Amino acid sequence: MESRETHDLTRRGLLVEGATAAGLALLPSLHSPSVVRAYPSRPGEEVLPWLDQPAPNPVPHVAGGLLRWEDLTSLITPVEQFFTIAHYGQPEVDVTAWRLEVGGLVENPLSLTLEELRARPRQEVVFTMECSGNHGLPFLHGAIGTARWRGTPLAPLLAEAGVLTEGSEVVFWGADAGEEEIREIKVPQHFARSMSVADATDPTVLLCYEMNRQPLPPKHGAPLRLIAPGWYGVANVKWLTRIEVRESRLQNRFMARDYVTLRQEPPGAPPAHAGEPVWVETSVGKALLKSAPARVTRAGGAGSPAGGQDRQYRVIGAAWGAPIARVEVRIDDGPWLPTRIDHSTAESEEEFVWRLWYFDWNMPTPSEHAITSRAIATDGRVQPAPDDPWLAGKQTYWESNGQITRRVAISAD
Ligand SMILES: Nc1nc2c(c(=O)[nH]1)N[C@H]1C(S)=C(S)[C@@H](COP(=O)(O)O)O[C@H]1N2
Ligand SMILES: [Mo]
């Protein structure tokens, strides 16, 4: 066989092995009882439901199990509470006949059974996955969850296949398919996304067969799905059948029509244009800095010794999408106030996991209140306000990472 030139992925391969060893060293903490600990809750507290509830879900066959924010009580989302998105429904996959094909512009095409994949080096990541449509539509407010994903790293597999130098994109194909009309032509299409070779061989990218230490459930992509920590949900292709190296980026519905953000970039905004606003379309990719208030709780009250005078209110929320330095909240039109980040579980320190925060709200007046949160990243970036020109210039619903305001009523009794 003639030998052709391939990308040198060995350094990345070595990095992956290093990461695996580090991952194993962390395993004892992942097994500790802290993993089941709920974050700051107080005995006898009650949850005050938000006055502004999401609209009814008009597409339950596409978006399912959306998180009810008031129910957020743990860092890891139980599988039963984890949202699902399926654009072409859930495909039937016969696991005995199933193979993962690795082909296209590679030196040695591979065909692997689930057993063979399970026998490869294992790696685990706790990753908060958000659908890029979350908070972009009136009903889509809980398309987010955090799970412990386990599988095998992709980079060494691609190194074994030998990615030819003319290969620049890695396409991930799902078993699910439907009909798409493309410029008046009806064609059958599988769900698929592509990523650059550099992104696909990042040592954190995994081919996963377990979710929260259980076999990956069918609705979350069994037998195998991609997990790309730090990316929006859409990049995490479920029901994988084929990984294909190609010369160019895939331009299908999920790369180039849907999941494309159309934005009018304000004049002078980086990258600056000569005083002229520019309309730009970008494909949804890496996650953006964001936070949301999750629930308001009340402890103490009528039954307690002080007979209602010692009520304690607490606002609890989450922040994700970038390394979080701190989170602030604002009540009505008041000043931004600091919150505390909950560090009570080992997982809460991991890179791709949401930070849970809380704010002790002293003596709210009995009336309706608006609660807004904003996350600040370690690099100083601030989650944008809804009227931020960069966000206000966005015309499409994906990547709605603006500050979120929720309304709650505090009663006098
Ligand atoms: N094969 C396939 N993979 C897919 C999808 C899909 O429709 N088909 N939806 C994507 C989108 S848009 C999201 S947000 C995540 C959701 O993953 P989950 O259903 O496990 O929560 O899966 C992604 N992977
Ligand atoms: Mo999504």
Side-chain angles (χ1 to χ4, degrees):
M1 184 177 163
E2 77 180 300
S3 108
R4 291 184 286 169
E5 254 189 84
T6 60
H7 285 273
D8 179 11
L9 301 175
T10 46
R11 286 183 61 140
R12 281 177 175 269
L14 287 174
L15 273 175
V16 169
E17 273 161 38
T20 310
L24 287 176
L26 282 173
L27 281 180
S29 70
L30 292 170
H31 282 299
S32 75
S34 67
V35 299
V36 290
R37 236 161 90 181
Y39 71 102
S41 64
R42 296 161 296 177
E45 72 179 10
E46 61 183 296
V47 178
L48 310 184
W50 299 113
L51 299 174
D52 49 359
Q53 291 294 327
N57 179 357
V59 286
H61 51 289
V62 179
L66 298 173
L67 172 74
R68 188 177 169 261
W69 279 99
E70 288 95 329
D71 295 340
L72 177 70
T73 53
S74 61
L75 194 82
I76 305 273
T77 313
V79 169
E80 320 77 65
Q81 283 175 26
F82 206 104
F83 79 100
T84 55
I85 303 281
H87 289 281
Y88 297 134
Q90 185 182 311
E92 290 282 331
V93 183
D94 172 5
V95 182
T96 50
W98 180 90
R99 297 282 184 283
L100 176 70
E101 308 291 340
V102 181
L105 297 170
V106 297
E107 209 172 25
N108 319 300
L110 306 170
S111 177
L112 298 143
T113 64
L114 190 58
E115 280 314 296
E116 287 167 330
L117 287 159
R118 293 183 66 96
R120 296 180 62 86
R122 292 185 163 209
Q123 196 169 306
E124 193 169 67
V125 65
V126 186
F127 163 45
T128 298
M129 185 167 68
E130 184 187 26
C131 175
S132 56
N134 199 31
H135 293 108
L137 297 168
F139 72 94
L140 198 60
H141 282 204
I144 186 166
T146 298
R148 191 180 287 121
W149 308 95
R150 189 193 260 176
T152 191
L154 174 62
L157 203 80
L158 287 175
E160 278 170 42
V163 176
L164 298 173
T165 47
E166 61 265 40
S168 68
E169 286 278 310
V170 184
V171 183
F172 301 91
W173 295 95
D176 49 333
E179 188 179 68
E180 293 292 338
E181 191 173 312
I182 305 165
R183 284 177 285 278
E184 279 127 64
I185 307 163
K186 289 196 170 123
V187 289
Q189 293 274 284
H190 279 269
F191 183 93
R193 285 272 306 188
S194 83
M195 243 187 215
S196 69
V197 170
D199 285 332
T201 55
D202 185 284
T204 60
V205 174
L206 304 180
L207 299 173
C208 283
Y209 42 75
E210 281 179 25
M211 179 181 185
N212 292 350
R213 296 276 166 79
Q214 308 284 316
L216 186 65
K219 59 183 173 181
H220 292 290
L224 193 74
R225 82 175 298 171
L226 187 72
I227 285 294
W231 289 69
Y232 272 120
V234 70
N236 298 264
V237 179
K238 302 192 281 186
W239 308 297
L240 273 179
T241 56
R242 182 170 167 79
I243 297 176
E244 192 176 75
V245 179
R246 295 172 74 99
E247 248 170 16
S248 59
R249 191 168 204 197
L250 193 72
Q251 299 285 341
N252 70 351
R253 169 178 163 195
F254 304 101
M255 293 294 290
R257 292 198 299 287
D258 287 355
Y259 296 92
V260 171
T261 293
L262 172 62
R263 191 190 304 276
Q264 185 186 40
E265 292 182 351
H273 313 293
E276 178 192 311
V278 170
W279 287 92
V280 177
E281 288 164 276
T282 51
S283 185
V284 168
K286 293 195 176 146
L288 296 180
L289 173 66
K290 191 163 162 184
S291 72
R295 61 210 301 245
V296 175
T297 62
R298 174 168 81 172
S304 74
Q309 296 310 298
D310 64 344
R311 285 239 167 85
Q312 298 158 309
Y313 292 85
R314 181 173 279 182
V315 183
I316 294 158
W320 64 93
I324 303 297
R326 55 184 209 279
V327 180
E328 296 173 341
V329 296
R330 189 168 69 184
I331 310 292
D332 304 318
D333 296 322
W336 286 104
L337 301 165
T339 71
R340 285 167 177 276
I341 304 244
D342 176 35
H343 296 289
S344 67
T345 68
E347 292 78 3
S348 70
E349 302 303 321
E350 289 191 24
E351 185 179 352
F352 301 108
V353 185
W354 54 18
R355 297 291 186 263
L356 301 180
W357 49 266
Y358 63 96
F359 168 75
D360 285 321
W361 186 9
N362 289 323
M363 313 274 252
T365 52
S367 64
E368 269 186 46
H369 293 284
I371 299 175
T372 308
S373 70
R374 68 175 184 190
I376 296 116
T378 51
D379 64 6
R381 275 176 305 142
V382 180
Q383 182 187 358
D387 62 355
D388 181 287
W390 189 75
L391 206 60
K394 185 169 77 67
Q395 302 297 309
T396 42
Y397 70 84
W398 297 282
E399 303 184 276
S400 291
N401 73 320
Q403 294 165 15
I404 290 158
T405 299
R406 303 294 312 257
R407 300 194 64 82
V408 70
I410 301 296
S411 59
D413 58 351

